[in-house]
Each structure stands twice: as structure tokens, then as C-alpha cells.
Amino acid sequence: MSTRAPASGEDRLIARHFRPLARHPGAFGLEDDAASITPPTGCDLVVTTDALVSGVHFFPDDPPDAVGSKSLRVNLSDLAAKGAQPLGFLLALALPDDFSENWLASFAEGLGADADAFNCPLLGGDTVRTTGPTTINISAFGAVKNGQMVRRAGAQPGDLVVVTGTIGDAAIGLLLRKDPGLRTRLGLSAGQLDELVGRYLRPQPRSAIAELLPRFVSAAMDVSDGLVGDLEKLCRVSNVAAEIQAEHLPLSDAARAALAAEPAVLETIITGGDDYEILATAASTNVGPLCKEASARGVAISVIGRVASGDGGVQVINPTGKPIGLRRRSFSHF
Amino acid sequence: MSTRAPASGEDRLIARHFRPLARHPGAFGLEDDAASITPPTGCDLVVTTDALVSGVHFFPDDPPDAVGSKSLRVNLSDLAAKGAQPLGFLLALALPDDFSENWLASFAEGLGADADAFNCPLLGGDTVRTTGPTTINISAFGAVKNGQMVRRAGAQPGDLVVVTGTIGDAAIGLLLRKDPGLRTRLGLSAGQLDELVGRYLRPQPRSAIAELLPRFVSAAMDVSDGLVGDLEKLCRVSNVAAEIQAEHLPLSDAARAALAAEPAVLETIITGGDDYEILATAASTNVGPLCKEASARGVAISVIGRVASGDGGVQVINPTGKPIGLRRRSFSHF
């Protein structure tokens, strides 16, 4: 008489969708209580966590592979901004009663593609039921040489403020998702719509330049809650202030077109969030080499302002030299 | 003109309730994107994650300090079963619109007390809104000497099966929470009720004996989904089978009283879960020293069965030598 029980539904679900992602030997095929990783010798471990809730951080009808991709990328963006190389991640997934296997398969596919692309394997996880919306929580681990994690604290008066890529695309993309009539009012093409919404759906973590940051910058963070508010957070813990020149903000052609059609879009661009670009401060002598080496790695860096003495304040200056008034500074859940 | 913005509601909430828990220097006072920890030289990192959803893993009216405590302890239990010493944890918290500051303050108090007691500091986290129930996700990190993480795989035919503490208390406690009339039907005293419900509310991670496991056991896991089902998981990945003697199960006086009043309680005891005891297999020559050293650390260990050749099956044998039939083997969310 065999008393071997069939694998539980939970075990089957994990085996089908997530075991293929668990290629790291320390993940033990997701068949253990925990995973084991050996950080490289001489390195500190950098750890970060981000939760995404359906209906709050993504739309229930967003493509599930993009949701899987974004869940990991927002964490990879944090690791990159700290100068850390990815080691792996844990996934905790709370699924509602009416979750579909198709949704899960596509979610796992998007997640797995990025786990491969960014060399950040799934190490373990937990899959549970919820009476609420799908909730995804990823904790990601990276390695950085001992004592080299790039902090938010460290900006010095006189440093320049720099940012990667372009700012505001994802926030405009979110507005376009919410308001289908907006594209026409902003005079955007279908291609520009796709581009902006694409930036919202699938951020681009700047992992390619993570290794440069400890060498060249005095402070850094990723822009998730809005450029102005996030720079304020950096300035506050660095005990400095900063000024940004609006005309120096790096904008995509699509964002530039939207701004030309509706000047109020500027506030969305600089406070809207979801950019997942790296915001950093660097001594002016370091900015040239940083931009050059980043460019060689395919990442554009723009100088947008300057650090000054102060107590955390950030001003955005328009081309006539006047500070721009803002109704809000950044996104907050509470 | 000062343009320094006030801290956001999210920042204030974190500062008030969670910053006091972030005593590790690498947590940077929760004012950075990520935390930094340096694993001890010669050690691997052990990582684990567990999600708790209100209404699924705990009752909305459970004492919030116990919920905070349990959230961490279920992870500490995993680390202990793997032979790892705690290093710290990340907390991702999704709160509904109607969350109360009092609930949060008490939750943080329970969590912080255990972070201190188990030397496992808060390193960082994420706090978000949800339209669903309160959802708590903790990822915990521990250290174990290189290559020494205790696996589920490793049990050998001839090994003895051992378990810490007592089994079934939490599962009976859960039944008692759900059915107020059950206490009278089982003939339990008010003190026994409190004891059993207390085991459900606040598990006791066996961190005190974590360091013994790599020396003495061939495989281990913590019992969270039920003794029989969890032992089957261990046997399956070890490619062995096992037999448990029902009469050797370690039971508290309260569980023994409930079982005497209602023999069907046996199934709850061995399949109910939430025990958070360590289940392990060990060569018979190691069991004596293991029990002795564990006892010196205040943890009782009982021999409950034996490992045999097989394909993952587990039988529970009654005192007359017959296998006991079970309707289910363990808890599964899916």
C-alpha cells in the first residue's frame, strides 16, 4: 500500500510556473524552506524590497508579463542606484480566488525573462491566497564591494545633480492610460502613446552603470516617487539643498511634444514618478568621466542642476531664472 | 523663501513606527533605498520569505502585537530549521485605507520586541496601500558556515525522525478560536484554552538549537503545514519514506486532554500545521548527543519515528501497529 500523497495544489503551481526560474543552485529547485547564497568575497550584501498591488501599482488589465517584469525591475533599479550587482531575489505572491493560470504563466514568463537578462535568479518565495487584489512582493539582493554602497547621504555643496535617461515619460504614460482622450488633446501620435505607456509598464533599470557609481558619485537614489520629491529626500539626508534648471531636464521627443501642447505637463514630468532613472550628485570634476563611461555602456547622463548649502529644499528654476511653484512634490501612499 | 517640503505621510508613518526598530547601522535609519549588511566571513547567506494575509493567516481581531511577533517568528523558524543565525529582515506592509495608527503602533511593538529578542534587526522595507486586507511580508536573512545549510534533502534509510517541543497545540488552538463552544465539548480549562490559542498566536522559533543542526542532523525543516505533509515533503526530496509512531508524538497536557475527549483530534494534531517546531532526521548515533545538547539549551527533542527506503510516503502507526487513515495530509492554499 502506497501512502505517498499527491503534491499539493500549491506545490504543483510552484513547480509549473516558478521552478523553471529557480536556476541558482542555492534555490534547491524551490524544494526547501530557504535558499542559500554565497556573496562574493570582499563584498557587502545590499537588500531591498518593493510591493506592487493590483489596482494601486498596476492596472488589473496590464499585460501580466509586463507586471512580472516591472515587479523585478523596480527592485533592480534600487540595486543599480546603490552601485550593487544583482545576486538574486525572493518572490512572495498573494493571489485572489479567481486568479487564472494563464495570467500566472505570463507573469512568470515576464519575470523569468528579466531574471535571465539581468542575471538575477529566483531564489525562493511564498505563494498564498488573499481575499484582496493580487499582491507581489519582491526582495532583491545585490553585492557591492565592502563599504562601497552608494548612499542617499553624501551630496556636497558644489556637486552637480545628474540623472540618467529621460524624465517624465512614465508619469505621462500613466495619465494617458487613465484618460484615453488625452492623447488627442496633447497631439501625440500612436507611436508616442505606445512609447510613453511602455515606459510606465516596463521601466528600464540602469544596471549597466551600477559599477560606475561608487567611483564617481557622492550620493544616488532611483527616481520612483517623482524627481523633485526624491531629490528632496536625498538633500534632506545629505543636509544640503539643490536647484534644478527646468530647461536642462532630459525629455524624450514624446514628452517634449506633450509639454509643448500643454505646459502644465511640466509638473507631471518632475513630480509624477515611476521614472526608475538614477538621480545622483557628483563633484564637478567627476561628471565628465562619469558621463563618458556611462555613454560607453549605452546610458545617457544629463546634468540638471547643482547642490548648495541648505536644509533639504529643492527649487526648480525656469529659463527666466525664476523658481517654479509646484502644487505637490512627489507621490506618497499616505 | 524656503521650499523644503514637509515629510510625506508615508515618511512620517515609517519614522514614527518603524525607525525605532532599525537599529542596525546598515539600515541607515530607513532613509535610503536599500540596506547593507556584511555576512560573517566564511558564511553563506540563508534567505527566506513568508507572507501573512489578514483573514487568511491571522484573524483581523488578533492582538496586533501578536501579529507583528508571528510575522517575524515564522521566518525565524525557517532560519532555525536551516541551522542559520539571524542577521536581519525586510518588511513589506500593505495597509488598507481604514488602517488605524493604534493597530500599527502595537504591531510594530510586537515586531520590535522580537527583533531584539532574536537579534534580528529591521533592515528596510516598503509600505503601500491596498484595497484588500492587511498583508505582511517579511524576508529574513541568516548566516550559516559555508556549505552547512541544513537541507530537506539528506534523510537516509535508518535515520530516526525527531521533532522539537510539542505538536498540534496551534492547530487545536485555531479550532478553539473558530468555535467558541469547542472548549466545553473537549473539557478544557480556561488555562488550557489560553495555552493552545497562545501557541497559534505566537509560535516559538527554535533558534536556540539552530547551531546544533548542521552537526547532528541529516535533514530538517520547520513544521508549518502539518507534521505528516511536511515530513512527506522532506521524504520526497530525500527519496526515502518514513513511519511515525502515534504514541511517541510529543503532546502538551492540553492537547492530550483534548485528544482523550475526542480521538478525532489526532488528525488535527498531525496534519493541522502552524506548529513551527523543527522536524529533522538524524543517524541514530547522533540522536543522543543532539537531544542532550538541545535539552541544555532548553529545547526538548522527541524521537517519533524512523526513515526507510521508499518514494516519499509517510505512515502514521497506531499503538496496535496499524497505519492510521488520514483524510488530508497537510494544509495547502491551492
Side-chain angles (χ1 to χ4, degrees):
Chain A
M1 167 182 154
S2 168
T3 55
R4 176 170 174 161
S8 73
E10 188 172 346
D11 289 340
R12 281 196 303 273
L13 190 141
I14 291 167
R16 190 177 311 137
H17 299 296
F18 296 113
R19 191 160 302 150
L21 279 63
R23 295 185 193 152
H24 189 288
F28 305 117
L30 304 182
E31 293 192 316
D32 213 305
D33 309 72
S36 168
I37 52 176
T38 311
T41 308
C43 282
D44 292 335
L45 196 81
V46 175
V47 297
T48 185
T49 191
D50 272 306
L52 278 75
V53 179
S54 180
V56 179
H57 301 87
F58 60 92
F59 292 91
D61 61 344
D62 279 347
D65 62 327
V67 175
S69 176
K70 185 172 187 169
S71 305
L72 183 58
R73 288 181 178 209
V74 297
N75 282 284
L76 291 168
S77 178
D78 281 320
L79 293 182
K82 304 290 100 184
Q85 301 298 324
L87 289 174
F89 72 101
L90 296 173
L91 168 70
L93 187 59
L95 293 170
D97 283 339
D98 63 349
F99 87 96
S100 89
E101 287 270 342
N102 284 343
W103 189 93
L104 201 59
S106 175
F107 170 84
E109 195 181 310
L111 185 62
D114 276 349
D116 285 349
F118 291 93
N119 202 14
C120 188
L122 175 65
L123 295 170
D126 193 20
T127 312
V128 300
R129 287 281 191 195
T130 178
T131 53
T134 299
T135 302
I136 304 150
N137 185 210
I138 283 183
S139 296
F141 318 119
V144 71
K145 284 190 189 142
N146 287 147
Q148 299 281 296
M149 185 184 112
V150 178
R151 300 278 316 278
R152 287 188 187 173
Q156 300 291 330
D159 283 353
L160 298 180
V161 180
V162 301
V163 72
T164 57
T166 57
I167 290 294
D169 298 318
I172 301 172
L174 175 58
L175 287 185
L176 291 164
R177 276 245 30 193
K178 284 182 181 165
D179 177 359
L182 183 61
R183 168 165 90 86
T184 313
R185 299 204 303 280
L186 292 178
L188 299 174
S189 69
Q192 289 174 321
L193 172 75
D194 286 351
E195 185 191 327
L196 294 168
V197 171
R199 282 293 303 264
Y200 170 74
L201 284 176
R202 225 182 271 265
Q204 180 58 56
R206 300 304 181 183
S207 310
I209 63 158
E211 63 173 324
L212 302 179
L213 301 182
R215 289 162 53 199
F216 293 121
V217 312
S218 53
M221 66 187 295
D222 75 333
V223 183
S224 55
D225 294 337
L227 179 69
V228 173
D230 283 347
L231 182 54
E232 281 175 343
K233 288 176 193 171
L234 187 152
C235 285
R236 207 175 290 153
V237 295
S238 294
N239 290 310
V240 296
E243 246 183 36
I244 294 174
Q245 306 297 322
E247 63 194 314
H248 294 154
L249 292 169
L251 302 182
S252 67
D253 289 346
R256 205 171 287 282
L259 182 60
E262 174 49 68
V265 163
L266 180 63
E267 183 150 339
T268 297
I269 290 172
I270 59 179
T271 68
D274 276 327
D275 296 294
Y276 299 103
E277 297 289 356
I278 295 176
L279 173 69
T281 58
S284 56
T285 50
N286 280 346
V287 169
L290 171 64
C291 292
K292 192 176 162 196
E293 294 212 31
S295 176
R297 286 164 175 77
V299 178
I301 290 187
S302 305
V303 177
I304 60 169
R306 187 176 283 275
V307 177
S309 305
D311 66 346
V314 170
Q315 287 194 325
V316 184
I317 307 296
N318 72 18
T320 66
K322 298 239 170 70
I324 295 170
L326 296 170
R327 282 170 304 162
R328 64 165 204 176
R329 323 289 291 184
S330 68
F331 178 79
S332 167
H333 280 288
F334 296 90
Chain B
M1 167 182 154
S2 167
T3 55
R4 174 170 174 159
S8 73
E10 189 172 345
D11 289 340
R12 281 197 302 274
L13 189 142
I14 291 166
R16 190 177 311 135
H17 299 295
F18 296 113
R19 191 160 300 150
L21 279 60
R23 295 189 191 147
H24 189 287
F28 306 118
L30 305 183
E31 292 191 315
D32 214 304
D33 307 71
S36 167
I37 51 176
T38 311
T41 308
C43 282
D44 292 336
L45 196 79
V46 176
V47 297
T48 185
T49 191
D50 272 304
L52 278 74
V53 179
S54 180
V56 180
H57 300 87
F58 60 92
F59 292 91
D61 62 343
D62 278 347
D65 62 327
V67 175
S69 176
K70 184 172 186 167
S71 306
L72 184 57
R73 289 182 178 208
V74 297
N75 283 283
L76 291 169
S77 178
D78 282 321
L79 293 181
K82 303 291 101 183
Q85 301 297 325
L87 290 173
F89 71 100
L90 296 172
L91 168 69
L93 188 59
L95 292 170
D97 284 340
D98 63 350
F99 87 94
S100 91
E101 287 271 340
N102 284 343
W103 189 93
L104 201 59
S106 175
F107 170 83
E109 196 180 309
L111 185 62
D114 276 347
D116 285 350
F118 291 92
N119 203 15
C120 188
L122 175 66
L123 295 170
D126 192 20
T127 312
V128 300
R129 286 282 191 196
T130 179
T131 53
T134 299
T135 302
I136 304 151
N137 185 208
I138 284 183
S139 296
F141 318 118
V144 72
K145 283 190 189 141
N146 287 147
Q148 299 281 296
M149 187 183 110
V150 178
R151 300 278 315 280
R152 286 187 188 175
Q156 301 291 330
D159 283 354
L160 298 180
V161 180
V162 301
V163 72
T164 58
T166 57
I167 290 294
D169 298 318
I172 302 172
L174 174 58
L175 288 186
L176 290 164
R177 276 248 25 199
K178 285 181 180 165
D179 177 359
L182 182 62
R183 169 166 90 83
T184 312
R185 299 205 302 280
L186 292 179
L188 298 174
S189 70
Q192 288 173 322
L193 172 75
D194 285 352
E195 186 191 327
L196 294 168
V197 171
R199 282 294 302 267
Y200 170 74
L201 284 175
R202 225 182 269 265
Q204 180 58 56
R206 299 303 180 184
S207 310
I209 62 159
E211 63 172 323
L212 302 180
L213 300 182
R215 289 163 55 200
F216 293 120
V217 311
S218 53
M221 66 187 296
D222 74 333
V223 183
S224 55
D225 293 336
L227 179 69
V228 173
D230 283 348
L231 182 54
E232 279 175 344
K233 289 176 191 169
L234 187 152
C235 285
R236 208 174 289 152
V237 296
S238 295
N239 291 310
V240 296
E243 245 183 36
I244 293 174
Q245 306 297 323
E247 64 193 315
H248 293 155
L249 292 169
L251 302 182
S252 67
D253 288 346
R256 206 171 286 282
L259 182 60
E262 174 49 70
V265 163
L266 180 62
E267 184 150 339
T268 298
I269 290 173
I270 59 181
T271 68
D274 276 327
D275 295 294
Y276 298 103
E277 297 289 356
I278 295 176
L279 174 69
T281 58
S284 57
T285 49
N286 279 346
V287 169
L290 171 63
C291 292
K292 192 176 164 194
E293 293 212 30
S295 175
R297 287 165 174 77
V299 177
I301 290 187
S302 304
V303 177
I304 60 170
R306 187 176 285 273
V307 177
S309 304
D311 66 345
V314 170
Q315 288 194 322
V316 184
I317 307 296
N318 73 17
T320 66
K322 299 240 168 70
I324 296 171
L326 296 170
R327 280 169 304 162
R328 64 168 206 178
R329 322 289 294 184
S330 68
F331 178 80
S332 167
H333 281 289
F334 295 91

